[in-house]
mmCIF file of all heavy atoms in Angstrom:
data_model
loop_
_atom_site.group_PDB
_atom_site.id
_atom_site.type_symbol
_atom_site.label_atom_id
_atom_site.label_comp_id
_atom_site.label_asym_id
_atom_site.label_seq_id
_atom_site.Cartn_x
_atom_site.Cartn_y
_atom_site.Cartn_z
ATOM 1 N N THR A 351 88.904 107.852 100.626
ATOM 2 C CA THR A 351 89.117 109.303 100.598
ATOM 3 C C THR A 351 89.861 109.774 101.846
ATOM 4 O O THR A 351 90.540 110.790 101.814
ATOM 5 C CB THR A 351 87.782 110.056 100.492
ATOM 6 O OG1 THR A 351 86.961 109.723 101.627
ATOM 7 C CG2 THR A 351 87.053 109.682 99.217
ATOM 8 N N ARG A 352 89.732 109.028 102.937
ATOM 9 C CA ARG A 352 90.464 109.373 104.166
ATOM 10 C C ARG A 352 91.859 108.749 104.182
ATOM 11 O O ARG A 352 92.642 109.021 105.079
ATOM 12 C CB ARG A 352 89.674 108.919 105.391
ATOM 13 C CG ARG A 352 88.355 109.641 105.580
ATOM 14 C CD ARG A 352 87.720 109.292 106.913
ATOM 15 N NE ARG A 352 87.315 107.896 106.981
ATOM 16 C CZ ARG A 352 86.164 107.420 106.562
ATOM 17 N NH1 ARG A 352 85.265 108.253 106.026
ATOM 18 N NH2 ARG A 352 85.864 106.136 106.650
ATOM 19 N N MET A 353 92.102 107.850 103.200
ATOM 20 C CA MET A 353 93.384 107.158 103.082
ATOM 21 C C MET A 353 93.718 106.412 104.379
ATOM 22 O O MET A 353 94.868 106.362 104.830
ATOM 23 C CB MET A 353 94.512 108.134 102.715
ATOM 24 C CG MET A 353 94.309 108.823 101.384
ATOM 25 S SD MET A 353 95.657 109.922 100.932
ATOM 26 C CE MET A 353 96.978 108.746 100.660
ATOM 27 N N ARG A 354 92.685 105.813 104.937
ATOM 28 C CA ARG A 354 92.880 105.042 106.162
ATOM 29 C C ARG A 354 91.811 103.970 106.246
ATOM 30 O O ARG A 354 90.641 104.234 105.991
ATOM 31 C CB ARG A 354 92.805 105.963 107.383
ATOM 32 C CG ARG A 354 93.050 105.242 108.697
ATOM 33 C CD ARG A 354 93.118 106.199 109.866
ATOM 34 N NE ARG A 354 93.379 105.482 111.105
ATOM 35 C CZ ARG A 354 93.526 106.052 112.288
ATOM 36 N NH1 ARG A 354 93.459 107.377 112.383
ATOM 37 N NH2 ARG A 354 93.754 105.334 113.368
ATOM 38 N N THR A 355 92.216 102.781 106.600
ATOM 39 C CA THR A 355 91.261 101.678 106.699
ATOM 40 C C THR A 355 90.291 101.904 107.855
ATOM 41 O O THR A 355 90.561 102.683 108.777
ATOM 42 C CB THR A 355 91.981 100.342 106.931
ATOM 43 O OG1 THR A 355 92.821 100.455 108.087
ATOM 44 C CG2 THR A 355 92.826 99.963 105.716
ATOM 45 N N TYR A 356 89.164 101.196 107.771
ATOM 46 C CA TYR A 356 88.240 101.164 108.899
ATOM 47 C C TYR A 356 88.603 99.926 109.716
ATOM 48 O O TYR A 356 88.660 98.811 109.192
ATOM 49 C CB TYR A 356 86.792 101.082 108.419
ATOM 50 C CG TYR A 356 85.796 101.395 109.509
ATOM 51 C CD1 TYR A 356 85.472 102.708 109.824
ATOM 52 C CD2 TYR A 356 85.203 100.377 110.254
ATOM 53 C CE1 TYR A 356 84.574 103.001 110.844
ATOM 54 C CE2 TYR A 356 84.303 100.667 111.264
ATOM 55 C CZ TYR A 356 83.996 101.981 111.562
ATOM 56 O OH TYR A 356 83.109 102.270 112.580
ATOM 57 N N ASP A 357 88.871 100.116 111.002
ATOM 58 C CA ASP A 357 89.379 99.041 111.859
ATOM 59 C C ASP A 357 88.382 98.792 112.981
ATOM 60 O O ASP A 357 88.015 99.724 113.707
ATOM 61 C CB ASP A 357 90.728 99.436 112.459
ATOM 62 C CG ASP A 357 91.731 99.904 111.400
ATOM 63 O OD1 ASP A 357 91.534 99.551 110.219
ATOM 64 O OD2 ASP A 357 92.692 100.600 111.768
ATOM 65 N N THR A 358 87.976 97.537 113.148
ATOM 66 C CA THR A 358 86.924 97.254 114.125
ATOM 67 C C THR A 358 86.831 95.771 114.426
ATOM 68 O O THR A 358 87.317 94.928 113.667
ATOM 69 C CB THR A 358 85.562 97.737 113.590
ATOM 70 O OG1 THR A 358 84.559 97.525 114.589
ATOM 71 C CG2 THR A 358 85.173 96.988 112.327
ATOM 72 N N TYR A 359 86.188 95.472 115.548
ATOM 73 C CA TYR A 359 85.815 94.082 115.840
ATOM 74 C C TYR A 359 84.537 93.738 115.071
ATOM 75 O O TYR A 359 83.710 94.614 114.789
ATOM 76 C CB TYR A 359 85.568 93.889 117.337
ATOM 77 C CG TYR A 359 86.828 93.863 118.158
ATOM 78 C CD1 TYR A 359 87.269 95.003 118.832
ATOM 79 C CD2 TYR A 359 87.588 92.706 118.273
ATOM 80 C CE1 TYR A 359 88.429 94.995 119.585
ATOM 81 C CE2 TYR A 359 88.752 92.680 119.029
ATOM 82 C CZ TYR A 359 89.168 93.828 119.682
ATOM 83 O OH TYR A 359 90.313 93.798 120.418
ATOM 84 N N VAL A 360 84.389 92.474 114.757
ATOM 85 C CA VAL A 360 83.242 92.003 113.984
ATOM 86 C C VAL A 360 82.360 91.128 114.869
ATOM 87 O O VAL A 360 82.842 90.290 115.629
ATOM 88 C CB VAL A 360 83.708 91.193 112.745
ATOM 89 C CG1 VAL A 360 82.508 90.639 111.982
ATOM 90 C CG2 VAL A 360 84.546 92.066 111.839
ATOM 91 N N GLY A 361 81.042 91.346 114.742
ATOM 92 C CA GLY A 361 80.082 90.452 115.389
ATOM 93 C C GLY A 361 79.814 90.723 116.843
ATOM 94 O O GLY A 361 79.161 89.919 117.514
ATOM 95 N N ILE A 362 80.294 91.862 117.363
ATOM 96 C CA ILE A 362 80.058 92.158 118.786
ATOM 97 C C ILE A 362 79.328 93.487 118.951
ATOM 98 O O ILE A 362 79.331 94.054 120.038
ATOM 99 C CB ILE A 362 81.371 92.142 119.593
ATOM 100 C CG1 ILE A 362 82.336 93.213 119.097
ATOM 101 C CG2 ILE A 362 82.039 90.784 119.537
ATOM 102 C CD1 ILE A 362 83.568 93.366 119.992
ATOM 103 N N GLY A 363 78.719 93.977 117.855
ATOM 104 C CA GLY A 363 77.888 95.170 117.956
ATOM 105 C C GLY A 363 78.590 96.484 117.762
ATOM 106 O O GLY A 363 78.006 97.534 118.015
ATOM 107 N N TRP A 364 79.830 96.463 117.297
ATOM 108 C CA TRP A 364 80.534 97.714 117.052
ATOM 109 C C TRP A 364 80.146 98.324 115.706
ATOM 110 O O TRP A 364 80.481 99.470 115.433
ATOM 111 C CB TRP A 364 82.048 97.496 117.096
ATOM 112 C CG TRP A 364 82.598 97.352 118.485
ATOM 113 C CD1 TRP A 364 81.956 96.872 119.575
ATOM 114 C CD2 TRP A 364 83.914 97.699 118.917
ATOM 115 N NE1 TRP A 364 82.780 96.874 120.675
ATOM 116 C CE2 TRP A 364 84.001 97.385 120.294
ATOM 117 C CE3 TRP A 364 85.030 98.232 118.288
ATOM 118 C CZ2 TRP A 364 85.161 97.592 121.032
ATOM 119 C CZ3 TRP A 364 86.190 98.434 119.023
ATOM 120 C CH2 TRP A 364 86.252 98.122 120.384
ATOM 121 N N LEU A 365 79.490 97.542 114.862
ATOM 122 C CA LEU A 365 79.092 97.981 113.528
ATOM 123 C C LEU A 365 77.584 97.903 113.391
ATOM 124 O O LEU A 365 76.907 97.274 114.216
ATOM 125 C CB LEU A 365 79.733 97.078 112.466
ATOM 126 C CG LEU A 365 81.254 97.121 112.324
ATOM 127 C CD1 LEU A 365 81.736 95.901 111.568
ATOM 128 C CD2 LEU A 365 81.676 98.396 111.614
ATOM 129 N N ILE A 366 77.046 98.532 112.330
ATOM 130 C CA ILE A 366 75.637 98.293 112.025
ATOM 131 C C ILE A 366 75.460 96.806 111.740
ATOM 132 O O ILE A 366 76.376 96.120 111.274
ATOM 133 C CB ILE A 366 75.177 99.164 110.839
ATOM 134 C CG1 ILE A 366 76.059 98.932 109.614
ATOM 135 C CG2 ILE A 366 75.125 100.622 111.219
ATOM 136 C CD1 ILE A 366 75.603 99.681 108.380
ATOM 137 N N ALA A 367 74.281 96.290 112.012
ATOM 138 C CA ALA A 367 74.051 94.847 111.969
ATOM 139 C C ALA A 367 74.375 94.251 110.606
ATOM 140 O O ALA A 367 74.924 93.136 110.502
ATOM 141 C CB ALA A 367 72.604 94.545 112.345
ATOM 142 N N GLY A 368 74.024 94.970 109.537
ATOM 143 C CA GLY A 368 74.269 94.435 108.205
ATOM 144 C C GLY A 368 75.738 94.277 107.895
ATOM 145 O O GLY A 368 76.142 93.306 107.240
ATOM 146 N N MET A 369 76.565 95.208 108.362
ATOM 147 C CA MET A 369 78.003 95.086 108.128
ATOM 148 C C MET A 369 78.597 94.000 109.005
ATOM 149 O O MET A 369 79.488 93.257 108.580
ATOM 150 C CB MET A 369 78.698 96.417 108.386
ATOM 151 C CG MET A 369 80.171 96.425 108.003
ATOM 152 S SD MET A 369 80.458 96.108 106.252
ATOM 153 C CE MET A 369 80.206 97.748 105.585
ATOM 154 N N ASP A 370 78.107 93.888 110.231
ATOM 155 C CA ASP A 370 78.547 92.805 111.115
ATOM 156 C C ASP A 370 78.338 91.451 110.443
ATOM 157 O O ASP A 370 79.180 90.564 110.515
ATOM 158 C CB ASP A 370 77.758 92.853 112.427
ATOM 159 C CG ASP A 370 78.635 93.279 113.602
ATOM 160 O OD1 ASP A 370 79.855 93.420 113.415
ATOM 161 O OD2 ASP A 370 78.091 93.476 114.700
ATOM 162 N N GLN A 371 77.164 91.294 109.786
ATOM 163 C CA GLN A 371 76.881 90.030 109.095
ATOM 164 C C GLN A 371 77.682 89.911 107.798
ATOM 165 O O GLN A 371 78.189 88.832 107.466
ATOM 166 C CB GLN A 371 75.391 89.927 108.775
ATOM 167 C CG GLN A 371 74.478 89.852 109.992
ATOM 168 C CD GLN A 371 73.015 89.793 109.587
ATOM 169 O OE1 GLN A 371 72.667 89.280 108.532
ATOM 170 N NE2 GLN A 371 72.162 90.346 110.436
ATOM 171 N N GLY A 372 77.784 91.016 107.076
ATOM 172 C CA GLY A 372 78.384 90.974 105.745
ATOM 173 C C GLY A 372 79.873 90.694 105.737
ATOM 174 O O GLY A 372 80.406 90.199 104.733
#
Side-chain angles (χ1 to χ4, degrees):
T351 60
R352 295 188 294 274
M353 299 182 68
R354 182 174 181 178
T355 55
Y356 195 83
D357 308 339
T358 183
Y359 286 98
V360 177
I362 62 172
W364 284 29
L365 294 163
I366 56 176
M369 187 61 83
D370 250 354
Q371 295 178 30

